[in-house]
Amino acid sequence: MITTEQQEKLRGWLTGRLPDDVFEELAEVTVDREEITVIGRIPEPRLAEDASATEREAATQGRIQEFRERTREARIEVAREAEHRFRRKVSWGVVCGDERALFTHVAAPVMTRLRQPERQVLDTLIAGGVARSRSDALAWCVRLVQRHTDDWLTELRESLEHVQRVRAQGPDAEDAEDAEPADAPTGEV
């Protein structure tokens, strides 16, 4: 987990480093231990007011594809620098109107041990056609929890930031400034 200050430094670096003509605005920057996801807002296509929903959807998809192709080289260059500087992979996406699209993302494996009742939950999701595998079923469960506990998770993340600030003020704070945490990637974020 990174602090709000580290998140702001990363967002500031990206804002300063991205060419002005890439995004209308930097909509979202999300960071975890493996990945930085950068999502920017791009302009909606201009259509006639009486354009159908189908035409609007097709125009939006076309705009997203055009943006992806046109900005590929610039995004790759920024990603290389960010990956070197922050020691995480960079993924890209856009928001165009109401549509949100991710171009790339990291799918990090997570190992866990589950007891039989927990495995039965996953197997039920597979049998019901909700998921193709236990891995898919577990990812589905995580998304479900995320959707229904967003406020709780936000409060927990804020509490963890407070714990990090308090630890930084402890008696070993001077020694800790020179050392990287054991479980955190190296580099600044």
Side-chain angles (χ1 to χ4, degrees):
M1 189 181 135
I2 68 169
T3 65
T4 300
E5 181 181 355
Q6 292 168 327
Q7 176 92 10
E8 289 170 357
K9 284 182 181 178
L10 172 60
R11 186 179 179 91
W13 184 86
L14 285 165
T15 300
R17 178 58 187 88
L18 283 167
D20 288 337
D21 63 342
V22 172
F23 296 126
E24 283 187 328
E25 72 172 314
L26 194 56
E28 181 182 325
V29 177
T30 308
V31 183
D32 69 8
R33 290 157 74 175
E34 292 84 21
E35 177 180 28
I36 300 167
T37 303
V38 180
I39 302 193
R41 183 169 305 284
I42 62 173
E44 293 181 64
R46 284 182 249 150
L47 296 166
E49 288 194 28
D50 63 342
S52 69
T54 302
E55 184 178 352
R56 288 185 187 287
E57 182 179 338
T60 298
Q61 291 302 317
R63 174 60 53 90
I64 291 169
Q65 188 62 37
E66 181 276 333
F67 171 86
R68 184 177 187 184
E69 297 300 323
R70 178 176 46 84
T71 63
R72 178 173 277 126
E73 292 302 316
R75 289 183 294 107
I76 287 172
E77 186 177 328
V78 171
R80 282 188 184 130
E81 290 178 33
E83 288 170 7
H84 177 74
R85 182 180 179 105
F86 301 111
R87 307 279 191 249
R88 291 168 172 84
K89 290 292 184 187
V90 176
S91 300
W92 298 95
V94 295
V95 174
C96 183
D98 294 333
E99 184 72 24
R100 178 186 168 105
L102 282 177
F103 301 149
T104 57
H105 61 278
V106 173
V110 178
M111 298 297 291
T112 186
R113 296 182 186 278
L114 300 175
R115 292 185 171 82
Q116 188 177 36
E118 296 157 336
R119 294 190 311 266
Q120 287 175 330
V121 169
L122 301 181
D123 292 342
T124 301
L125 292 172
I126 295 166
V130 172
R132 293 173 291 156
S133 65
R134 285 181 171 174
S135 177
D136 285 345
L138 188 55
W140 184 88
C141 290
V142 169
R143 287 190 303 272
L144 182 67
V145 169
Q146 180 184 22
R147 185 175 301 132
H148 293 290
T149 60
D150 198 38
D151 292 340
W152 182 83
L153 289 174
T154 299
E155 187 176 335
L156 180 60
R157 287 183 188 110
E158 289 169 357
S159 296
L160 289 171
E161 282 187 33
H162 178 72
V163 168
Q164 287 179 340
R165 284 192 304 273
V166 170
R167 280 186 185 152
Q169 297 169 0
D172 298 330
E174 291 177 14
D175 296 336
E177 288 178 7
D178 298 331
E180 291 285 335
D183 63 339
T186 59
E188 62 176 332
V189 172

